[in-house]
Amino acid sequence: GIQVEQSPPDLILQEGANSTLRCNFSDSVNNLQWFHQNPWGQLINLFYIPSGTKQNGRLSATTVATERYSLLYISSSQTTDSGVYFCAVEEGYSSASKIIFGSGTRLSIRP
Amino acid sequence: EPEVTQTPSHQVTQMGQEVILRCVPISNHLYFYWYRQILGQKVEFLVSFYNNEISEKSEIFDDQFSVERPDGSNFTLKIRSTKLEDSAMYFCASSESGWYTGELFFGEGSRLTVL
């Protein structure tokens, strides 16, 4: 099956810093999503980005499907950005294909 | 904003007991999923469901697990005889379009603790 690798596994930053999280995948994909899992365990949709670039406030994401990677940028980090960031890609071509999660990047923002 | 809702938020059960986790997907969505996350680990796919039948399932989804859409709104996951290793957060998700999945929306999760 498809492999999804995220880097770095852990990242500790001071409030106000910028960061780039990377997601590599082993095969071509049709869809890719970024999620933020907050300290309460909730999975929050950040971006649905099979290709191209999107921005939402301080967050932006870019997927280059032909080169099998996606990047999540967080600018001017705040303590509320802490948590685990997951990349998930679609595997399979059936009607109700599943998405496969990477292992995540644990981000800790210190005040 | 429409959302996926799950109940209960937390359930504690004894090993060997049956557990039913409930989900109400977003109303116009047709594709439904269960995922689980053991504490500190990544989110794992369990099963996808469309048109009242299982579309795909993982090796985790063995005979102890079943899913059902008993009415027009609920989507349930049943664990027939719970084991200690079933302790995890279980997430329900739904999507509007199926072919090439479409964007998945997750519920807040049901935390299952098996003693």
Side-chain angles (χ1 to χ4, degrees):
Chain A
I2 195 168
Q3 302 298 313
V4 184
E5 293 182 1
Q6 293 187 243
S7 60
D10 294 280
L11 189 57
I12 301 173
L13 297 172
Q14 288 296 126
E15 200 167 23
N18 301 328
S19 59
T20 300
L21 282 57
R22 186 176 183 100
C23 172
N24 291 333
F25 37 95
S26 60
D27 204 347
S28 58
V29 298
N30 297 304
N31 289 319
L32 186 145
Q33 287 184 244
W34 282 97
F35 297 91
H36 174 213
Q37 186 167 42
N38 64 22
W40 295 270
Q42 298 170 334
L43 285 169
I44 311 297
N45 284 36
L46 295 178
F47 293 103
Y48 172 66
I49 186 165
S51 64
T53 298
K54 289 186 178 179
Q55 179 152 9
N56 184 4
R58 296 181 296 104
L59 274 62
S60 64
T62 295
T63 297
V64 184
T66 53
E67 296 186 21
R68 300 182 185 172
Y69 73 88
S70 183
L71 302 173
L72 178 69
Y73 305 97
I74 305 174
S75 64
S76 305
S77 302
Q78 300 175 359
T79 56
T80 50
D81 294 331
S82 295
V84 182
Y85 289 80
F86 289 105
C87 162
V89 302
E90 180 181 3
E91 178 182 65
Y93 296 89
S94 66
S95 60
S97 301
K98 56 186 183 283
I99 63 171
I100 302 299
F101 282 74
S103 297
T105 292
R106 182 173 299 277
L107 178 64
S108 301
I109 305 298
R110 294 188 169 164
Chain B
E1 184 175 322
E3 58 182 17
V4 178
T5 57
Q6 292 186 239
T7 55
S9 57
H10 189 193
Q11 181 158 356
V12 181
T13 190
Q14 295 291 325
M15 191 168 57
Q17 295 296 304
E18 176 183 284
V19 162
I20 297 176
L21 305 178
R22 292 182 168 80
C23 169
V24 179
I26 294 173
S27 62
N28 63 332
H29 286 188
L30 301 176
Y31 302 85
F32 314 118
Y33 311 81
W34 284 101
Y35 285 76
R36 81 168 186 191
Q37 185 181 33
I38 294 171
L39 187 64
Q41 298 185 24
K42 67 178 179 180
V43 181
E44 300 174 290
F45 169 78
L46 291 179
V47 65
S48 59
F49 190 88
Y50 167 69
N51 200 26
N52 281 321
E53 61 183 23
I54 290 174
S55 179
E56 287 194 55
K57 60 183 180 180
S58 71
E59 61 274 10
I60 303 169
F61 194 88
D62 60 22
D63 292 343
Q64 294 295 319
F65 292 89
S66 63
V67 289
E68 193 179 32
R69 187 156 164 83
D71 54 42
S73 60
N74 290 286
F75 178 51
T76 62
L77 174 69
K78 182 190 291 186
I79 308 174
R80 188 151 47 96
S81 177
T82 50
K83 306 178 199 131
L84 296 177
E85 54 265 37
D86 293 327
S87 294
M89 180 78 95
Y90 288 81
F91 291 102
C92 174
S94 69
S95 65
E96 184 176 6
S97 59
W99 195 254
Y100 302 153
T101 302
E103 185 174 6
L104 260 64
F105 293 86
F106 282 79
E108 295 189 347
S110 293
R111 183 171 299 283
L112 175 65
T113 302
V114 182
L115 302 176

